Amino acid sequence: MRIAVAGSIATDHLFTFEGRFADSLLAEQLSNVSLSFLASDLKVRRGGTGANIAFGMGVLGHSPLLVGAVGKDSAEYLTWLQEHGVDTTHVRVSDTLASARFTCTTDQDHAQIATFFPGAMVEAAEIDIAGVGEVDLVVVAPDDPGAMLRHSASCRERGVPFAADPSQQLAFMDGDAIRGLVEGATYLFTNDYEAKLVHEKTGWSADDVLDVVGTRITTHGADGISIFQKGQPVIEVAPAPAREVVEPTGVGDAFRAGFLCAIGWGLSLERSAQVGALVATHVVETIGTQEYTFTADGFLDRFAEVYGEDARAELAPHLTL
Ligand SMILES: Nc1ncnc2c1ncn2[C@@H]1O[C@H](COP(=O)(O)OP(=O)(O)OP(=O)(O)O)[C@@H](O)[C@H]1O
Ligand SMILES: [Mg+2]
C-alpha cells in the first residue's frame, strides 16, 4: 500500500532561561519593551505533524511519501527522514522562505515566550497532491490550512481515499472549512477534545459524522482509543501502558503512524489501533517526537505482553525491520 502523508515539517527551538521574565518586564515600560534573555540551554527538536507521522511509518518499515514544504535550511532534516525510511521526493523546497520554526523560551517559573514562524509551510498550498502519482491513501495532517483543504478536495474529486487528521488546526477553522476537510474521508482521526470541536463547529451529530466518513478513530490519551463505523458496534482499544511517562508530545502522530502502517499491512482496525497505541507509548517514554527506537523483536515481545500472543502472531510477518 502506497501512502502519502501531507503535513507540516518544522523544527522546535527550545531555550531555557534560568531567571524570571517577570523580573525584567516592568509594567511602566511595556510600551517600549526591548529584552534579551541569556539562555542556558537550547534543544532543537525535529517536528511537524507530517514529518512525525512519516518518521513513525518509516521506522516501522513502510516507505511513506512525505508531502509538504520546507526551506533550504532543512537539508539535514530531510536527510534524517530519508535515513529513517521516508521518501522525501515530493517535499517542496522554497526558493525564498526559511522552514517553519517554533521558538520558545521557558523561564524558571515555566512561563513561556514563544514565536511560531510558518515560513515555507505557506507554500504547501501550492502543492498539487495529484502530482505524487498513484497512491492508495493520502493522510491530510495539520499543515497550512489552504493546503489541507486543497488536498482533501483533490482526493474527493479524484476518488482517492484520504484520512482527515485536522488535530490542532480545528481550533482555527470554521464549520465550512472543517466540513470541506472531513467530508468523504475514509478515516477521521481526532482526540476527544477535537471530536467535540468537530461537532460544535460543523453542527454535525456523531451520527452525522458517520454518514460522511468511513471510519472514525477517537483517541483518549492514556485511556485508549474508540473506533466508530456506521451501523457497527464501537471498537474499544486499550492503550499500551507506559513504563514511565517522560514526555507525551507527539503521541497523536505516533499513534497515526502505527495505525496506518498496520492498515497498510491489511490488519484489522482493532489490531491496527493496538499497533498505533504501542508506537505512541514509545513516544511517551522518550523526550522528543522522533527519538524513539525499537527492534522488531522488542516491539513484538511488548505487543504480545499487552495484547496477547495472537496479536503478536498477526503482526510478526509484517514487522521485518
Ligand atoms: N500516558 C500515556 N500512556 C500510554 N499511552 C498513551 C498515553 N498518552 C497517550 N497514549 C496513547 O497515544 C494515543 C493518542 O493520545 P492522545 O489522545 O493524547 O493524542 P493527542 O491528544 O492527539 O496527542 P498530541 O496531540 O499531544 O500528540 C492514545 O490513544 C494512547 O494509545
Ligand atoms: Mg493531537
Side-chain angles (χ1 to χ4, degrees):
M1 194 165 164
R2 219 164 163 249
I3 300 180
V5 180
S8 61
I9 306 160
T11 46
D12 295 347
H13 292 238
L14 309 175
F15 295 98
T16 306
F17 173 53
E18 303 289 349
R20 289 193 169 85
F21 296 141
D23 293 340
S24 307
L25 289 163
L26 305 173
E28 64 278 13
Q29 291 294 327
L30 289 182
S31 54
N32 50 21
V33 170
S34 173
L35 293 170
S36 170
F37 300 101
L38 183 67
S40 60
D41 188 41
L42 165 61
K43 296 255 182 315
V44 180
R45 301 265 185 82
R46 300 176 193 89
T49 53
N52 287 342
I53 296 171
F55 171 88
M57 296 179 72
V59 166
L60 285 163
H62 261 258
S63 175
L65 297 167
L66 178 60
V67 180
V70 296
K72 289 183 180 139
D73 51 338
S74 281
E76 219 178 288
Y77 189 1
L78 295 185
T79 303
W80 160 269
L81 291 169
Q82 288 154 14
E83 285 168 358
H84 290 86
V86 179
D87 182 337
T88 63
T89 322
H90 294 282
V91 172
R92 176 189 165 116
V93 181
S94 172
D95 285 327
T96 50
L97 294 167
S99 298
R101 178 180 298 206
F102 176 72
T103 301
C104 182
T105 305
T106 305
D107 78 0
Q108 69 175 78
D109 293 335
H110 301 289
Q112 298 189 320
I113 297 181
T115 306
F116 179 67
F117 174 61
M121 196 179 90
V122 299
E123 293 187 7
E126 290 164 39
I127 297 173
D128 179 3
I129 194 82
V132 305
E134 240 173 72
V135 290
D136 302 294
L137 183 74
V138 173
V139 183
V140 183
D143 201 345
D144 174 82
M148 296 171 72
L149 286 167
R150 184 173 177 194
H151 299 331
S152 282
S154 168
C155 290
R156 207 163 30 234
E157 278 157 25
R158 294 178 301 120
V160 175
F162 68 100
D165 172 20
S167 299
Q168 65 267 27
Q169 293 291 39
L170 285 169
F172 311 106
M173 291 182 155
D174 63 17
D176 276 345
I178 296 170
R179 280 189 285 268
L181 208 61
V182 166
E183 210 154 5
T186 301
Y187 301 101
L188 168 63
F189 293 103
T190 64
N191 64 19
D192 280 325
Y193 173 76
E194 295 154 355
K196 289 195 192 89
L197 269 187
V198 169
H199 294 168
E200 271 172 30
K201 291 198 173 193
T202 59
W204 281 335
S205 66
D207 275 345
D208 295 338
V209 173
L210 294 185
D211 284 335
V212 297
V213 306
T215 302
R216 177 177 204 180
I217 302 106
T218 306
T219 61
H220 316 289
D223 293 327
I225 303 108
S226 304
I227 303 175
F228 308 89
Q229 282 181 318
K230 195 169 181 66
Q232 301 289 326
V234 183
I235 303 170
E236 301 288 359
V237 179
R243 291 173 181 148
E244 189 190 1
V245 177
V246 177
E247 194 207 48
T249 311
V251 280
D253 295 337
F255 169 79
R256 285 149 180 74
F259 178 87
L260 292 164
C261 277
I263 289 289
W265 291 324
L267 300 186
S268 68
L269 288 170
E270 181 182 21
R271 209 55 95 212
S272 298
Q274 292 170 344
V275 174
L278 185 53
V279 180
T281 297
H282 283 79
V283 169
V284 173
E285 293 169 346
T286 47
I287 293 180
T289 56
Q290 297 179 26
E291 302 302 327
Y292 57 94
T293 55
F294 45 72
T295 60
D297 283 345
F299 194 92
L300 287 168
D301 285 347
R302 208 163 163 193
F303 200 60
E305 226 172 83
V306 185
Y307 300 113
E309 286 301 333
D310 288 353
R312 182 215 296 262
E314 279 179 39
L315 178 60
H318 305 289
L319 200 64
T320 48
L321 307 177

